[in-house]
Amino acid sequence: MTDDHAPSDAEAPDLASHLALAADLAIGIDIGGTKIAGGVVNRRGEVLALVRAETPHRSTAPSVVENTIVTVIDGLCEQVGTDRVAAVGVGAAGFVAADRATVVFAPHLSWRHEPLREALHARTGLPVVIDNDANAAAWAEARFGAALGRSDVVMVNLGTGIGGAILIDGRIYRGRHGMAGEFGHMQIAPDGLRCECGNRGCWEQYASGRALVREACALIVAASPVAADLASRVNGDPAAITGPMITQAAMDGDALSRDLLAEIGRWLGVGLANLAAAFDPQLFVIGGGVSAAGELLLEPAREAFRRRLPGRGYRPEPEIVHAALGNHAGFIGAADLARDAVAEQWQGRQA
């Protein structure tokens, strides 16, 4: 598989020296709604160093988010040496322009037409490539994980929101303006819950980590007896509830937590059936933090998917599988995409 976008000459300093010294290593950064994770990754998809930081609050100025990203990059460079890093790839949760330089809109951050590639290159001196975080995760799964050997794949990342990515004939499909795959903002409930994107009834309001936590909090606030287990885990403070906490409670046997995950799974299946109608993939890969619930989430999703799939019984059904690379997929894919983009640019100069 190849990817045909590369940073501009103006954004890539002394590519020859970087590639000669660091052909095997790249830094990947995954910017999520709650955390910024970064890793140094080699060509085999192996993570050699790891740094994490909290994502600044969505109302924070873009410069503060940028500062946090640079801190993560600097921490990784300190571990392996800057001269060993060929490029930096950033997977951003939002709409990334086709030039892979600008974050046009990030619903969960304050970025609006943010020239992130230019800003990070100026501060790190390294070649930088920006991509959507779900594109990066899908690329990692296709290169090293659950979608290895599959050419037509749809990935859905369930985190704070929902991200998505499409691989067609082994290549990431970005759309005309670079914004394909924003499945979380498909409307599945007209006039439904308000979404940060400005619309109502978006898929991520029903099948994301935010939806999971929202429902649990509502039951604790209402002092529902079915929420007793969850309430006890946070000493009655609904603001302390997190998605991983609900998943752990479900694994421990809490009936409410299992019901909440099953409900998220059913909404997941509804959206997947819509995507199957549109793209007819070989495989759905489900990643992101919420997917850690495994079959507690995926089995209800498969059942709802089968009930909603157009032409069910008369068409091949794509598999629905759990992502193999876990929380590392985003930055592994971002690193691999960036390294390939810079290498392709250098080869183009030599042609």
Side-chain angles (χ1 to χ4, degrees), residues 260-331:
L260 291 174
L261 283 167
E263 182 68 10
I264 296 296
R266 286 189 286 272
W267 280 111
L268 172 61
V270 170
L272 293 181
N274 291 340
L275 294 175
F279 297 108
D280 186 29
Q282 295 169 287
L283 182 73
F284 285 107
V285 178
I286 311 301
V290 181
S291 71
E295 290 303 306
L296 292 173
L297 176 80
L298 294 187
E299 190 51 40
R302 293 187 189 104
E303 291 176 4
F305 174 78
R306 294 185 190 108
R307 289 196 302 270
R308 298 294 189 109
L309 180 65
R312 52 192 174 277
Y314 296 95
R315 59 180 292 172
E317 292 185 12
E319 293 179 75
I320 301 173
V321 302
H322 189 259
L325 301 177
N327 292 332
H328 290 181
F331 67 74

Side-chain angles (χ1 to χ4, degrees), residues 14-329:
D14 196 6
L15 289 175
S17 64
H18 277 296
L19 292 171
L21 292 170
D24 194 45
L25 301 184
I27 285 176
I29 304 293
D30 181 19
I31 305 170
T34 60
K35 65 173 174 53
I36 295 174
V40 178
V41 183
N42 66 20
R43 287 190 179 276
R44 295 178 296 279
E46 298 166 339
V47 180
L48 307 184
L50 180 65
V51 173
R52 294 179 184 271
E54 290 187 6
T55 304
H57 190 271
R58 58 179 297 170
S59 64
T60 303
S63 60
V64 177
V65 183
E66 179 189 310
N67 290 341
T68 306
I69 297 169
V70 171
T71 297
V72 171
I73 294 171
D74 287 346
L76 292 167
C77 287
E78 287 175 7
Q79 294 186 55
V80 300
T82 304
D83 59 353
R84 298 186 62 206
V85 176
V88 174
V90 178
F95 299 170
V96 177
D99 63 2
R100 297 168 70 193
T102 304
V103 181
V104 177
F105 174 67
H108 310 299
L109 292 170
S110 57
W111 287 337
R112 304 293 183 266
H113 294 283
E114 185 67 23
L116 189 59
R117 185 175 74 187
E118 179 182 356
L120 294 179
H121 165 65
R123 295 186 61 178
T124 65
L126 291 166
V128 177
V129 175
I130 310 297
D131 213 322
N132 174 266
D133 59 342
N135 285 347
W139 184 257
E141 293 291 343
R143 291 272 287 133
F144 312 110
L148 186 65
R150 307 295 186 95
S151 60
D152 294 278
V153 178
V154 171
M155 184 164 187
V156 177
N157 275 350
L158 306 179
T160 305
I162 295 180
I166 309 155
L167 268 71
I168 298 176
D169 290 335
R171 302 174 70 85
I172 294 174
Y173 177 74
R174 294 186 173 84
R176 176 71 176 183
H177 304 103
M179 300 178 191
E182 288 296 335
F183 306 139
H185 300 288
M186 298 187 306
Q187 282 188 309
I188 63 169
D191 300 320
L193 296 169
R194 177 72 71 183
C195 181
E196 286 84 350
C197 76
N199 289 328
R200 287 185 178 274
C202 290
W203 191 23
E204 70 175 42
Q205 293 303 313
Y206 299 88
S208 67
R210 176 184 293 103
L212 182 66
V213 169
R214 182 190 65 230
E215 296 302 307
C217 286
L219 288 166
I220 293 174
V221 169
S224 171
V226 301
D229 183 287
L230 287 178
S232 69
R233 292 172 186 254
V234 292
N235 296 318
D237 179 11
I241 284 286
T242 66
M245 188 180 297
I246 298 169
T247 296
Q248 185 58 55
M251 291 179 174
D252 292 342
D254 176 50
L256 171 64
S257 297
R258 286 174 172 256
D259 285 347
L260 291 174
L261 283 167
E263 182 68 10
I264 296 296
R266 286 189 286 272
W267 280 111
L268 172 61
V270 170
L272 293 181
N274 291 340
L275 294 175
F279 297 108
D280 186 29
Q282 295 169 287
L283 182 73
F284 285 107
V285 178
I286 311 301
V290 181
S291 71
E295 290 303 306
L296 292 173
L297 176 80
L298 294 187
E299 190 51 40
R302 293 187 189 104
E303 291 176 4
F305 174 78
R306 294 185 190 108
R307 289 196 302 270
R308 298 294 189 109
L309 180 65
R312 52 192 174 277
Y314 296 95
R315 59 180 292 172
E317 292 185 12
E319 293 179 75
I320 301 173
V321 302
H322 189 259
L325 301 177
N327 292 332
H328 290 181

